[in-house]
Structures are given as C-alpha cells and as structure tokens.
C-alpha cells in the first residue's frame, strides 16, 4: 500500500475500461457501481502478500496454472519464482499471463496481461527488492541461485465484491 495518486488514477482507469470492455454476462455479475470496488478499495484489499494463481502459456499453447506469492505494488502484481521453474521459462518465451486472487465470495481480482522479468538492472528492481525484503525479513534473492522477479503489466483487470461499498479504502487504513 504505497500507490501514488497517479498510480491510483491509472488503476481506476484500467478497472473502468476493463469493465466497460467485458461482455454482458460478466457485466450482469459484476454490476458497475454496486459490485465494482474502486481502485483505493482494491489496493486496500491487496495489501500484504496474497496467494495468486498465475497462468502461463505452454509451448503447445495450453494454459499452465500455479500459485505464487503475489504482492500488489504500484497497481501491478509482483511475484518471484525459481529461474529453473517451468513458469519462468514460459514467461521468457511467451509473456502472456492471467492471474487471479479470490477471497471466497467476498472479493476477487482478475488480470490479463504480460509478465516481465525484473532483472537487477530494471529501474523498479530496488523498490521491489526493498518491499519483498521487508515482508520476508530476507531478500528473495537469497532463496536460491536463480530467483526470478516478475511483474504483470496488465491489459485487463476487473475487481469484484458483492458489497463493494462496504470495503475499506486506503484512506481508512492505519499507516504502517
């Protein structure tokens, strides 16, 4: 939870655009205004580590899902994995991904986009590294010889909460 005003505005635009582009079936379930959390609420709900189901694409074009520790930073999901993991190979060769976080029937976020590898030279690496190190108490880079940092650049993101108006937003959370 450290999104800038610009990042919150960009996230809100993505949420609104994605909902407007979705089909009638999805719009009948995720009703604009009553079941669509605002960006500030999404950020509040996604504070801390969340188990994220990440789906990559195999060489044969088939979906391949697995769980990762997801961290929502700057309006984007960040995660780590082993550089030897099949998902890391999939991302390097075919970056299209989908990811889902679901908290029962209370709250959910669905995202489609492209995963990027955040190498040590990437401008966002230091901030991501600092966040993850603070969360885990140690840098994920120490977990193995080929740890990969990934981030999803979203093209589509939609959030759902049956009682969106009751969700807290970042302005109502205590400072950490």
């Amino acid at each position: 939870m450290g999104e800038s005003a610009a990042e919150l505005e960009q996230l809100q635009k993505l949420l609104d655009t994605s909902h407007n582009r979705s089909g009638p079936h999805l719009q009948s379930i995720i009703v604009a205004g009553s079941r669509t959390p605002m960006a500030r609420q999404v950020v509040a709900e996604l504070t801390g580590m969340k188990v994220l189901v990440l789906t990559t694409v195999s060489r044969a074009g088939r979906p391949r899902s697995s769980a990762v520790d997801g961290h929502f930073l700057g309006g984007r999901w960040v995660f780590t994995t082993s550089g030897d993991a099949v998902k890391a190979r999939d991302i390097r060769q075919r970056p299209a991904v989908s990811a889902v976080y679901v908290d029962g029937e209370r709250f959910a976020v669905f995202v489609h986009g492209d995963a990027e590898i955040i190498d040590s030279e990437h401008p966002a690496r230091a901030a991501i590294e600092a966040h993850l190190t603070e969360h885990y108490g140690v840098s994920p880079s120490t977990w193995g010889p080929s740890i990969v940092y990934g981030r999803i650049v979203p093209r589509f993101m939609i959030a759902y909460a049956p009682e969106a108006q009751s969700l807290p937003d970042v302005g109502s959370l205590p400072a950490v």
Side-chain angles (χ1 to χ4, degrees):
M1 181 182 79
E3 279 73 6
S4 68
E7 289 167 334
L8 284 170
E9 184 177 321
Q10 183 179 17
L11 177 58
Q12 187 62 58
K13 183 177 179 181
L14 176 64
L15 291 166
D16 293 342
T17 301
S18 298
H19 187 271
N20 292 337
R21 287 184 9 222
S22 64
H25 175 69
L26 186 62
Q27 288 183 8
S28 75
I29 297 167
I30 303 177
V31 179
S34 63
R35 293 181 176 175
T36 52
M38 302 299 288
R40 294 172 59 88
Q41 294 171 302
V42 170
V43 169
E45 286 295 318
L46 298 179
T47 298
M49 190 282 291
K50 304 296 180 188
V51 176
L52 186 65
V53 176
L54 177 69
T55 302
T56 60
V57 181
S58 74
R59 187 177 324 130
R62 300 201 178 270
R64 191 180 344 244
S65 297
S66 61
V68 295
D69 287 6
H71 296 262
F72 201 69
L73 302 173
R76 297 179 178 183
W77 284 110
V78 172
F79 60 92
T80 61
T81 190
S82 169
D84 299 327
V86 171
K87 73 174 81 58
R89 182 186 67 218
D90 286 349
I91 289 167
R92 285 188 190 99
Q93 295 173 358
R94 292 163 302 281
V97 297
S98 291
V100 179
Y101 169 71
V102 178
D103 181 2
E105 294 182 28
R106 192 186 72 77
F107 179 80
V109 174
F110 308 88
V111 63
H112 308 296
D114 295 302
E116 61 179 340
I117 301 296
I118 306 293
D119 63 24
S120 61
E121 304 303 314
H122 193 286
R125 177 64 178 250
I128 292 169
E129 178 87 17
H131 169 84
L132 296 175
T133 300
E134 181 178 336
H135 177 81
Y136 294 111
V138 62
S139 168
S141 298
T142 66
W143 295 346
S146 64
I147 298 300
V148 171
Y149 289 60
R151 179 171 66 179
I152 301 172
V153 179
R155 285 182 275 103
F156 176 95
M157 185 183 300
I158 196 159
Y160 167 77
E163 297 181 24
Q165 69 282 359
S166 69
L167 295 176
D169 73 27
V170 291
S172 63
L173 296 179
V176 276

